Amino acid sequence: MPGSIPPQPSTTHALSGATIAQAITARTFQGVGVSPGRIVASIRQMPKPVDEPPLGERLDAGASQDDAVASLRTAAQAVHDELKGRARTASGDGRAVLEATALMAKDTMLLNSAAKLIKAGSSAERAIWEAGASVAEMLHNLGGYMAERAMDVLDVRARIVAELRGVPAPGIPSAAAPFILVAEDLAPADTATLDPATVLALVTSGGGPQSHTAIIARSLGLPAVVAAHGVDTVADGTEAYVDGAAGYMAALPTVEQRAAAAAWEENSAVLAGFDGNGTTADGHLVPLLANVGGAKDAVAAAALGAQGVGLFRTEFCFLERDTEPSVGEQAAAYKAVFDAFPGKKVVLRTLDAGADKPLPFLTDATEPNPALGVRGYRTDSTTPGVLERQLEAIARADSASGADVWVMAPMISTVAEARRFASLCAAVGLTNPGVMVEVPSAALSAAVVLREVGFASLGTNDLTQYAMAADRQLGPLAELNTPWQPAVLRLVQLTVEGSALEGNNKPVGVCGEAAADPALAVVLTGLGVTTLSMTARSLAAVATVLKTVTLGQAQDLAHLALSAPSAVEAREWVRAKLPVLGELGF
Ligand code: PEP
Ligand code: MG
């Protein structure tokens, strides 16, 4: 057990976790906290998806076909104007997505085909639904950029149907003042238009803690709670308090909760002082790196003080692509990330397609059990050549950049896979191959796997899902699906021990979301991991908490967590020894 903890940063309105816990009432919706932060604001419910108009639905007897066509065109114009208006106030990717969707609402092929169906007797809703399906299919068959527009057509047709029915449009609602977004779950496309200036926090009744929606909430720095059963019953406009660390939303906030939210805002200033260094109180260095999905993230991460990139998820550059990107296109995308970190380490992961990140040119959408299927490195056996071409692109980008490039393969489960990956890297002159340890077999055989490669990076999101046999996306399994599970921590420990065996001495980092939890980051440091990589917005919090313990104390906390009988106790026991967490609201 740790002795005395060194002095912690002072905070203006320090409120302990206990004070807030006492305020929990019947109007509290407990879920799983996935991104810290304390906010008070009104809630907006995400509208339910639009139901398909019944097959064969006809115009009412006696209704005019011309009137039906006219109301369809008016509804389409209203959808266009609404999206265009939102695009004007949005920025970056969100603006581009909104503008592209607005244009689709005026697409002549879409509206003319719907008008034809109305003239043949169909209702306006059914007509636009069917016309949308045919246009989307046609775009999909064209492939490439056009195929990516297919989703926009389907979005637009749902909006037009909602307009015709006079119900709220699907997707993220707009509002005059910033709000807490409450939803069943968010689709990846919803998150593209999620503007942190408008959406202050995210609460979902479904979703799991390791889902990519949770990851995106963290990367945007939004307080977020998932699996909060019953939040969908709270009326639109109700004022609520969200605590993303404690994992709950409370309708009608108390005085204490309002004070906690105010204190959180003030404490942001403490965290703004991050100097880019990851070190314990006694000077043990733990480089803090960023997880990125492309150049934009990399530039933002460098600005937030990341000392490099510990995980570049290359598949994020090509999601929704129907065809394999060319070597030149890939090299340009990779170089743009390397260029954000001249002279610094950038760990690039080869395409991790499959499960919740399907890439149509690599994965089979009909697999019955995609998380256990042909995903990550395994796609090399079913689609040979793609990995070699990606490595060629990486080597090309590496030789044109000043970054210190490391390359690793996802979902490695055997020594033979690690060996083959290393030989493919060597063939294109990439001299520092590594593996992700996210399948328990790799953790259990770390000593022999690490003989083949230069480093390992623990993917605790998948390692947890596979160790606990619990789908990382499922809300009902959230209690199992936490890296605080002592069994998962033991796999981390075994990997670190394996890396030291037989004179290996290979670096073992963590790039799963566990590294972004400041208390768990201390435990991982105590277990001996050499680097921590996380969403850049978590860097300051992790650095602040790490600085309050010595390496010896971190080791004691690691043993404490390993000895706990459950994930809940492991977390509680460790957090009780780190009062700085309560003060900072983590
Ligand atoms: C992980 O599994 O922990 C990981 C970092 O990879 P991803 O979340 O992209 O699957
Ligand atoms: Mg993974």
Side-chain angles (χ1 to χ4, degrees):
M1 304 268 285
S4 63
I5 301 275
Q8 290 129 25
S10 65
T11 51
T12 328
H13 289 101
L15 280 167
S16 73
T19 311
I20 305 301
Q22 281 159 18
I24 293 180
T25 68
R27 299 283 289 152
T28 297
F29 300 88
Q30 184 67 50
V32 179
V34 294
S35 178
R38 294 168 173 170
I39 292 281
V40 167
S42 295
I43 69 142
R44 290 295 315 267
Q45 292 279 355
M46 183 96 159
K48 300 261 176 283
V50 171
D51 290 334
E52 176 175 348
L55 185 68
E57 187 179 70
R58 315 274 304 161
L59 261 187
D60 289 342
S64 143
Q65 290 176 346
D66 288 342
D67 287 353
V69 171
S71 47
L72 175 72
R73 291 196 187 278
T74 308
Q77 184 67 44
V79 168
H80 169 269
D81 295 349
E82 200 264 332
L83 291 170
K84 198 81 191 153
R86 279 172 55 197
R88 270 194 286 278
T89 55
S91 54
D93 287 353
R95 181 187 206 127
V97 169
L98 287 164
E99 272 173 354
T101 318
L103 270 184
M104 204 49 88
K106 286 182 75 162
D107 184 75
T108 38
M109 185 192 302
L110 176 69
L111 296 179
N112 290 346
S113 345
K116 241 189 223 161
L117 291 168
I118 293 174
K119 296 280 182 198
S122 174
S123 73
E125 288 171 25
R126 186 68 210 173
I128 190 70
W129 195 267
E130 283 180 17
S134 331
V135 175
E137 195 187 343
M138 190 201 72
L139 290 172
H140 184 79
N141 292 340
L142 287 172
Y145 171 83
M146 298 311 275
E148 287 162 30
R149 302 276 68 82
M151 288 306 289
D152 297 346
V153 184
L154 298 181
D155 183 21
V156 151
R157 78 168 179 181
R159 287 172 182 281
I160 297 176
V161 169
E163 182 70 25
L164 285 165
R165 289 178 182 165
V167 298
I172 304 214
S174 51
F179 55 89
I180 296 165
L181 180 64
V182 177
E184 198 178 311
D185 203 0
L186 288 180
D190 295 325
T191 53
T193 56
L194 213 150
D195 176 3
T198 322
V199 176
L200 299 177
L202 259 178
V203 183
T204 62
S205 55
Q210 322 285 347
S211 64
H212 281 92
T213 296
I215 293 172
I216 281 166
R218 278 189 287 267
S219 76
L220 291 172
L222 292 178
V225 178
V226 299
H229 184 68
V231 278
D232 41 354
T233 59
V234 182
D236 238 16
T238 306
E239 200 176 35
Y241 168 73
V242 174
D243 188 328
Y248 71 91
M249 180 181 107
L252 311 177
T254 61
V255 174
E256 289 86 352
Q257 288 165 340
R258 287 180 195 284
W264 167 265
E265 211 175 321
E266 287 187 31
N267 284 337
S268 314
V270 175
L271 298 178
F274 176 55
D275 58 6
N277 283 312
T279 167
T280 58
D282 54 343
H284 172 71
L285 283 180
V286 187
L288 300 183
L289 311 170
N291 291 354
V292 303
K296 203 171 128 200
D297 289 355
V299 169
L304 285 166
Q307 297 172 9
V309 169
L311 170 64
F312 172 13
R313 290 181 164 101
T314 55
E315 67 280 359
F316 276 24
C317 299
F318 309 111
L319 287 178
E320 294 175 24
R321 277 288 298 257
D322 267 356
T323 50
E324 180 189 348
S326 69
V327 169
E329 186 184 346
Q330 291 189 58
Y334 306 152
K335 183 172 178 299
V337 169
F338 300 162
D339 286 348
F341 287 95
K344 304 260 180 68
K345 171 168 156 180
V346 177
V347 185
L348 177 151
R349 175 176 75 185
T350 55
L351 295 170
D352 182 22
D356 55 335
K357 294 170 292 184
L359 289 181
F361 60 92
L362 271 180
T363 46
D364 171 4
T366 63
E367 267 186 348
N369 206 345
L372 299 181
V374 183
R375 61 166 294 201
Y377 171 81
R378 300 167 181 188
T379 57
D380 183 49
S381 61
T382 48
T383 323
V386 175
L387 178 58
E388 271 111 323
R389 287 187 287 277
Q390 182 177 24
L391 292 173
E392 192 189 328
I394 297 163
R396 200 186 280 184
D398 180 17
S399 58
S401 94
D404 174 18
V405 176
W406 298 26
V407 189
M408 63 183 179
M411 294 290 295
I412 291 292
S413 17
T414 66
V415 174
E417 288 172 354
R419 185 178 302 143
R420 175 167 151 76
F421 181 68
S423 74
L424 291 177
C425 288
V428 291
L430 290 166
T431 51
N432 200 5
V435 292
M436 284 198 70
V437 173
E438 50 188 346
V439 178
S441 63
L444 294 166
S445 46
V448 271
V449 167
L450 275 165
R451 257 192 240 143
E452 307 295 335
V453 289
F455 69 97
S457 185
L458 283 147
T460 47
N461 308 335
D462 278 316
L463 190 60
T464 305
Q465 131 162 293
Y466 296 127
M468 304 308 296
D471 187 331
R472 64 193 262 185
Q473 309 215 73
L474 286 185
L477 300 181
E479 273 178 36
L480 286 175
N481 215 326
T482 157
W484 281 101
Q485 289 287 354
V488 176
L489 296 176
R490 179 81 182 109
L491 287 170
V492 172
Q493 187 186 40
L494 282 172
T495 309
V496 171
E497 285 172 1
S499 81
L501 282 181
E502 303 174 33
N504 266 336
N505 266 332
K506 306 276 171 71
V508 176
V510 171
C511 65
E513 293 299 304
D517 173 338
L520 204 41
V522 168
V523 168
L524 294 168
T525 301
L527 286 172
V529 309
T530 50
T531 53
L532 295 168
S533 189
M534 66 203 77
T535 178
R537 292 206 186 245
S538 300
L539 289 165
V542 168
T544 305
V545 176
L546 201 56
K547 247 180 236 160
T548 67
V549 291
T550 63
L551 178 59
Q553 287 168 337
Q555 286 165 342
D556 289 342
L557 287 172
H559 286 129
L560 188 63
L562 279 170
S563 69
S566 71
V568 172
E569 280 145 305
R571 183 171 182 270
E572 273 173 9
W573 291 0
V574 169
R575 288 180 67 88
K577 298 283 179 191
L578 295 168
V580 64
L581 295 166
E583 291 183 15
L584 291 173
F586 291 109

